[in-house]
């Protein structure tokens, strides 16, 4: 009997214990979405706790009779929830301090910003969509500290800015950051093709702790794009449609013929040339008066080619439709997008059916699907496609030496307003022998070049929780495939009939005597052969993830295997394989430490040097979580000190340096002859020697940062100092004499230091019904070449590149204009040229009383500005909202020595030439005398690229809900926004945009399609 009673009692207690253990599943969110890594504890058993995952989901098994759980997270008010009779719950958290619950994206994971030890800056997709820019990187400028960029062209489909994270640290390898979209590496050129409507957030990873996990690819920083995903709820359909117009930020304004020719007469006279020979029939006062009156346009033409080929403005359209929603098990986000960006060229009537304007047509599609197959197993299927069509006119030229860029051509000496009229009296196109082709005729007859890109991306990810092994452990596998197919079509002709009109005899001379008809159009072989597609990339990843709280201790880790194969057309495939790990620990969100490591390599290097280890360690201290601080410094909500140090790599080497571990042999064009009766035989001779020890560039990164929140989240400040040392830069030896006859391979010996700082401050507040914010950021990055193996120049050591910034400009130092002959007599002698009053005077740097090559030294700043900053502000009041962004840059220089020349093919007179030196204006002149020997590079020709732009403005109005609900619509918003609206800078008189490239033989600052300003109007309608 006792045995039976004992068995019954044991069974009762066992059943009771089982009955007490209940499993509760839930999700945690705030007003902005899921809240990850929240601590969930059982009220009656505080030792029983779990963390929510990165989607805010959690599962906890209650082990006592308690019917309550406690949810806590730094930055949120603690919440106690009764779960009696429930197995699943949804919890909404309230922020106690604005911003402390923010989550940042790091490599292959998300972290709470409060417990992150890395240097990360983020922007939401909502902010991006305030800009009407067609390329996504053009929307980032001024918004993220540490992001430097330069948009040198406004061409539709090719207007994406070049961008760099914390400047540049190399002089041979690429400085472009790694691009990662939803954990998958993208090509740098793909960024501009992403539709902003698909983006949830963009983060830039700047220090070693955040980039070491990418190892050999992380030295230039990482730009991480996270796309939008579905959320639980009824289907929500959003239609966004906008249209606007674009116009150049700067117009080139050459002087009309009657103002320009007298300046050229002065130029030629001063330089000892005969104006009557160089400007036949145009130098008399009567001729200049005809130019002014325009009464004989065929004999005295006055053509502003800029105006003749360009419209005042052009159209831009964008439409987006997205659907999102889902259940607890299946969530979806589907987006369709279309953008049309028309070109600025005038559309002329044609006898042939082709489009000779620039344009971009792009279709974007994205489908992100999340499926919870079981409580522990989930799938993520992402499919995206981009179909683009980029058209541009064919711009042939027949001048000797090849064609100049069209935009340079139409404001150069080749096409001065008086060279020839657009049309001759008989309606034929004007031209001139030995001259460049008629630009209007080009638009009518020369045809077009068109490029099609079909970019398909598939990303399949499976995730399985391994709580049966240990809580917080999961495994994730990803298979990603990209297929980018490009095709090209060109229908072109290289010339067409043009005639030079001889007004005196009323006759026409053909510029091409052998051309009597318009030639048949044909494809451009060089354009067609530039095809570099298709590209196929297969990427596989396996990730083991772990995160678990043990009372006041949180431990997390990640182990990654990643490999990819990249095949471009018939080229040799590029292979990459890597392993990475992350281990982190925090105690009460107070003391933080994290270790990251990448071990990876690529097939660009010999097998013995193929792999490298890239470690990094970081630590943080949340001072504000210390009791002595929290209880006494009430106005500080959050104060964190953090630092990191580590090494990363860069394998983006120039194609010139690819596979240089192989010795090169070449076959010269000339054969050798042997024997008494010479017999010609082909030969092979050694080329560059092999460098079997070649490897990637490495960079040691140090970062020190502070994060501060004050006054209940009203003021946030983040500041960073960084010190990057790039070494093992592939460098061609300059110290080995050429007479050795040896062609040496580049070796890993170069070093560059890159140091700087960033600061970002944000103020948010609410006064009554008005919410407002004010935000500013400032970034400074300065690099210096520490070693480059260059020969020592004993006569002028100032020419050394070592010790200078990458891209340093060299020239003389401007010391005013020679005032008169007496000034010339007492000044150092200008070697090799005869100077006159009004010419540029240079400083005698070495003190030898003469001006020669030994007085050339470093001047100005590199073309890429060393300072970038942004100031934004905005407010909302009831249904109205407005935001504004100012963006600027400083400490950059542009070379204007060629751009401002006249009297040759480089340029034509403009407003600046009116401010030339003459005996009457010697005290106020801003330009040297015309016709002098003044175009040696000097500080006089350097122009500062400092500028401040009104980069973005948006105003919006929500139609009152009481009105829209009557028609079954959730929300209607009307808005207007603009891009590059106003620019304050010092280059207006030169008609050059401040983001122009520095300039060179064929890439002068005005050689590219003009930068554009955009005025845009839109409508957004949401249905639910």
């Amino acid at each position: 009997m006792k045995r039976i009673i004992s068995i019954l009692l044991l069974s009762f207690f066992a059943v009771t214990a089982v009955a007490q253990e209940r499993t509760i599943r839930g999700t945690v969110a705030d007003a902005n979405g899921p809240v990850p890594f929240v601590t969930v504890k059982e009220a009656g058993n505080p030792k029983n706790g779990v963390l929510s995952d990165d989607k805010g989901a959690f599962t906890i098994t209650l082990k006592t009779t308690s019917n309550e759980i406690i949810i806590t997270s730094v930055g949120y008010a603690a919440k106690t929830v009764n779960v009696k009779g429930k197995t699943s719950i949804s919890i909404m958290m309230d922020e106690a301090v604005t911003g402390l619950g923010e989550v940042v994206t790091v490599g292959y994971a998300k972290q709470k910003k409060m417990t992150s030890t890395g240097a990360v800056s983020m922007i939401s997709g909502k902010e991006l969509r305030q800009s009407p820019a067609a390329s996504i990187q053009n929307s980032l400028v001024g918004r993220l500290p540490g992001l430097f960029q330069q948009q040198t062209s406004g061409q539709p489909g090719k207007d994406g800015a070049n961008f760099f994270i914390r400047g540049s640290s190399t002089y041979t390898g690429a400085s472009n950051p790694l691009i990662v979209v939803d954990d998958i590496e993208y090509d740098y050129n793909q960024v501009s093709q992403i539709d902003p409507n698909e983006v949830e957030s963009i983060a830039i990873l700047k220090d070693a702790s955040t980039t070491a996990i990418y190892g050999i690819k992380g030295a230039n920083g990482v730009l991480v794009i996270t796309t939008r995903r579905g959320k639980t709820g009824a289907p929500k359909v959003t239609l966004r449609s906008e249209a606007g117009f674009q116009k150049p930020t700067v117009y080139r304004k050459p002087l009309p013929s009657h103002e320009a020719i007298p300046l050229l007469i002065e130029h030629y006279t001063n330089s000892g040339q005969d104006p009557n020979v160089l400007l036949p029939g145009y130098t008399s006062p009567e001729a200049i008066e005809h130019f002014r009156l325009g009464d004989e346009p065929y004999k005295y033409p006055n053509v502003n080619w800029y105006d003749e080929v360009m419209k005042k403005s052009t159209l831009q359209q964008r439409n987006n439709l997205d659907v999102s929603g889902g259940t607890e098990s299946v969530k979806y986000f589907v987006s369709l997008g279309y953008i049309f960006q028309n070109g600025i060229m005038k559309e002329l009537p044609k006898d042939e059916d082709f489009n000779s304007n620039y344009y971009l047509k792009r279709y974007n599609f994205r489908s992100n699907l999340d499926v919870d197959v079981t409580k522990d197993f989930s799938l993520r299927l992402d499919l995206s496609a981009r179909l683009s069509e980029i058209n541009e006119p064919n711009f042939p030229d027949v001048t000797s030496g090849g064609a100049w860029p069209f935009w340079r051509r139409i404001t150069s000496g080749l096409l001065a307003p008086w060279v020839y009229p657009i049309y001759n009296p008989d309606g034929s196109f004007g031209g001139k022998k030995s001259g460049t082709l008629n630009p209007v005729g080009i638009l009518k007859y020369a045809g077009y070049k068109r490029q099609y890109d079909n970019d398909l991306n598939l990303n399949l990810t499976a995730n399985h929780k391994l709580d049966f092994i240990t809580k917080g452990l999961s495994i994730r596998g990803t298979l990603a495939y990209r297929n980018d197919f490009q095709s090209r079509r060109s229908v072109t002709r290289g010339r067409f009939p043009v005639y030079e009109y001889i007004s005196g005899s009323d006759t026409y001379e053909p510029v091409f005597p052998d051309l009597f008809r318009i030639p048949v159009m044909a494809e451009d072989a060089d354009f067609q052969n530039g095809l570099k597609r298709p590209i196929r990339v297969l990427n596989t990843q396996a990730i083991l993830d772990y995160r678990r709280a043990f009372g006041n201790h949180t431990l997390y880790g990640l182990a990654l295997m990643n490999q990819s194969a990249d095949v471009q057309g018939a080229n040799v495939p590029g292979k990459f394989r890597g392993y990475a790990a992350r281990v982190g620990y925090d105690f009460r969100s107070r003391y933080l430490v994290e270790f990251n490591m990448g071990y990876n390599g690529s097939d660009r290097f010999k097998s013995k040097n193929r792999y490298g280890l890239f470690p990094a360690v970081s630590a943080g201290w949340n001072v504000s979580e210390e009791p002595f601080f929290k209880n006494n410094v009430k106005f500080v909500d959050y104060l964190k000190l953090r630092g990191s140090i580590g090494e990363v790599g860069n394998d983006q080497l120039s194609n010139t340096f690819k596979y240089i571990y192989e010795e090169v042999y070449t076959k010269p064009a000339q054969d050798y002859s042997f024997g008494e009766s010479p017999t010609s035989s082909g030969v092979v001779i050694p080329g560059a020697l092999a460098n079997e020890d070649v490897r990637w560039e490495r960079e040691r990164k140090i970062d020190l940062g502070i994060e501060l929140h004050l006054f209940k989240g009203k003021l946030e400040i983040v500041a960073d100092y960084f010190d990057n040392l790039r070494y093992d830069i592939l460098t061609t030896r300059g110290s080995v004499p050429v007479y050795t006859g040896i062609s040496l391979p580049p070796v890993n010996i170069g070093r560059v230091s890159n140091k700087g700082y960033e600061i970002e401050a944000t103020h948010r507040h609410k006064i009554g019904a008005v919410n407002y914010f004010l935000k500013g950021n400032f970034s400074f990055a300065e690099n210096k070449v520490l070693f480059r193996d260059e020969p020592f120049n004993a006569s002028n050591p100032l020419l050394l590149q070592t010790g200078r910034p990458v891209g340093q400009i060299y020239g003389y130092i401007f010391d005013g204009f020679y005032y008169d002959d007496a000034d010339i007599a007492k000044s150092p002698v200008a070697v090799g040229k005869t100077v006159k009053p009004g010419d540029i005077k240079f400083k005698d740097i070495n003190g030898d009383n003469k001006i020669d090559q030994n007085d050339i030294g470093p001047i100005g700043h590199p073309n890429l500005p060393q300072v970038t900053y942004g100031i934004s502000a905005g407010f909302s009041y009831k249904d109205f909202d407005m935001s504004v962004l100012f963006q600027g840059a400083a400490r950059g220089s542009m070379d204007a020595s060629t751009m401002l020349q006249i009297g040759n093919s480089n340029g034509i007179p403009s407003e600046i030439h009116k401010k030339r030196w003459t005996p009457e204006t010697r005290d106020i002149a801003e330009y040297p005398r015309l016709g002098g020997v003044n175009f040696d590079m000097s500080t006089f020709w350097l122009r500062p690229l400092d500028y401040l732009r009104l980069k973005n403005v948006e105003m919006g109005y929500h139609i009152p809900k009481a009105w829209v609900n009557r028609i079954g619509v959730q929300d209607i918003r009307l808005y207007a926004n603009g891009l590059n609206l106003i620019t304050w800078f010092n280059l207006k008189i030169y008609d050059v945009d401040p983001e122009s490239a520095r300039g060179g033989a064929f890439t002068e600052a005005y050689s590219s399609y003009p930068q554009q300003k955009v005025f845009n109007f839109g409508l957004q309608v949401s249905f639910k």
Side-chain angles (χ1 to χ4, degrees), residues 15-70:
V15 170
T16 301
V18 171
Q20 288 174 348
E21 289 194 358
R22 290 190 297 129
T23 299
I24 305 296
R25 295 185 177 86
T27 56
V28 185
D30 62 10
N32 299 313
V35 180
F37 315 133
V38 170
T39 301
V40 182
K41 293 183 178 181
E42 183 179 2
N45 182 13
K47 292 184 178 181
N48 181 26
V50 296
L51 289 175
S52 65
D53 62 18
D54 59 355
K55 299 176 183 177
F58 68 90
T59 301
I60 185 171
T61 301
L62 304 183
K63 298 181 178 180
T64 69
T65 57
S66 172
N67 287 314
E68 290 183 337
I69 57 176
I70 301 172

Side-chain angles (χ1 to χ4, degrees), residues 503-531:
S503 60
S505 59
D506 193 28
T507 58
Y508 302 85
E509 290 191 8
V511 172
F512 308 115
D514 61 330
L515 189 65
F516 296 96
R517 296 183 179 87
I518 298 175
V520 175
M521 290 185 130
E523 71 175 24
D524 186 310
D526 291 337
F527 178 74
Q528 301 293 140
N529 293 336
L531 191 65

Side-chain angles (χ1 to χ4, degrees), residues 133-434:
S135 297
I136 199 168
Q137 63 262 51
N138 297 345
S139 304
L140 296 175
V141 62
R143 299 182 187 272
L144 293 170
L147 186 70
F148 292 74
Q149 78 166 47
Q150 196 172 36
Q151 184 183 349
T152 58
S153 172
Q155 181 181 338
K158 297 182 180 180
D159 62 351
N162 297 315
F163 59 97
F164 313 91
I165 294 176
R166 291 184 168 174
S168 176
S169 297
T170 183
Y171 53 78
T172 56
S175 296
N176 307 129
L178 175 67
I179 311 299
V180 175
V181 180
D182 292 335
D183 292 340
I184 302 300
E185 181 180 344
Y186 269 44
D187 187 89
Y188 179 80
N189 296 319
Q190 284 183 285
V191 179
S192 61
Q193 301 297 311
I194 296 175
D195 189 340
N197 192 61
E198 301 175 0
V199 175
E200 180 69 30
S201 66
I202 292 181
I204 56 173
L205 315 183
K206 299 180 282 189
D207 70 334
S209 71
T210 55
T211 60
I213 202 165
Y214 297 102
I216 203 172
K217 297 175 179 285
N220 296 328
V222 185
L223 185 137
V224 181
I225 299 176
T226 303
T227 60
R228 298 168 67 184
R229 312 202 71 81
K231 299 176 182 178
T232 302
K236 181 178 180 180
V237 181
T238 301
L239 172 66
R240 183 181 174 103
S241 181
E242 56 191 43
F245 60 93
Q246 311 167 84
K247 57 190 303 183
T249 57
V250 174
Y251 284 93
R252 296 279 293 163
K253 298 182 288 292
L255 293 178
S257 299
H258 69 278
E259 293 184 25
I261 288 178
L263 293 174
L264 284 175
I265 293 172
E266 181 181 330
H267 170 89
Y268 292 136
T269 302
N270 288 347
S271 60
Q273 303 176 81
D274 187 351
N276 296 309
V277 173
L278 296 168
L279 296 168
Y282 291 162
T283 59
S284 67
E286 293 78 15
I288 292 173
E289 181 64 10
H290 283 302
F291 278 121
R292 189 185 71 81
L293 295 175
D295 54 354
E296 295 186 46
Y298 300 111
K299 185 176 182 180
Y300 302 102
N302 182 20
V303 182
N304 185 325
W305 293 104
Y306 223 61
D307 290 343
E308 294 301 328
V309 300
M310 280 178 51
K311 295 183 285 190
K312 296 298 182 184
S313 63
T314 189
L315 178 69
Q316 175 175 302
Q317 290 178 301
R318 192 199 306 261
N319 296 291
N320 289 100
L321 177 67
D322 60 74
V323 183
S324 64
T327 65
E328 292 293 337
S329 299
V330 179
K331 303 177 185 66
Y332 55 88
F333 172 81
V334 180
S335 174
L336 294 171
Y338 168 75
I339 184 170
F340 173 69
Q341 196 179 12
N342 203 17
I344 201 75
M345 312 305 291
K346 285 185 175 178
E347 297 170 3
L348 303 175
K350 306 181 187 70
D351 298 326
E352 299 162 299
D353 185 18
F354 64 82
N355 190 332
S356 59
N357 198 358
Y358 293 93
Y359 68 74
L360 163 70
K361 293 180 182 177
R362 189 180 72 224
Y363 300 86
N364 289 73
F365 167 77
R366 176 169 290 276
S367 171
N368 287 352
L369 183 66
D370 296 276
V371 180
D372 292 333
V373 181
T374 69
K375 64 182 180 66
D376 294 324
F377 181 62
S378 61
L379 292 174
R380 189 181 80 182
L381 177 62
D382 299 347
L383 177 65
S384 65
R386 286 172 290 279
L387 289 77
S388 67
E389 179 181 322
I390 299 175
N391 196 79
E392 58 186 67
N394 176 43
F395 290 130
D397 202 3
V398 292
T399 54
S400 59
W404 278 6
F406 180 78
W407 295 102
R408 181 182 180 188
R409 212 184 306 166
I410 61 174
T411 53
S412 72
L414 297 175
L415 275 171
W418 56 88
V419 171
Y420 54 75
I422 306 169
Y423 300 100
N424 293 318
D426 66 350
S428 63
F429 279 112
K432 200 170 188 67
K433 291 182 177 180
S434 303

Side-chain angles (χ1 to χ4, degrees), residues 267 809-817 833 838-842 859-861 892-902 910 912-913 916-917 926-945 987 990 992 997-999 1004-1005:
H267 170 89
I809 302 171
Y810 293 83
Y812 296 98
I813 296 179
F814 173 64
D815 196 24
F817 302 121
K833 55 185 177 181
D839 285 335
I840 292 176
K841 181 166 60 174
F842 300 134
I859 57 174
H861 299 288
S893 298
M894 184 182 67
D895 169 5
S897 62
T898 304
M899 178 178 71
L900 299 181
Q901 291 182 25
I902 63 171
S910 58
I912 185 62
H913 298 102
R916 69 202 181 282
W917 188 99
E926 297 180 20
Y927 190 89
R929 76 178 180 100
L930 300 180
V933 284
N934 292 307
F935 293 103
D936 291 321
M937 172 51 64
S938 70
T939 53
F940 176 81
W941 296 114
L942 285 187
R943 296 295 181 264
L945 294 180
L987 300 175
Y990 310 112
V992 174
R998 168 189 166 184
E1004 285 304 315

Side-chain angles (χ1 to χ4, degrees), residues 774-787:
L774 179 64
K775 188 174 184 179
N777 66 78
F778 180 92
S779 304
F780 171 74
E782 184 176 35
N783 59 43
K784 182 170 67 173
V785 177
L786 300 181
F787 182 74

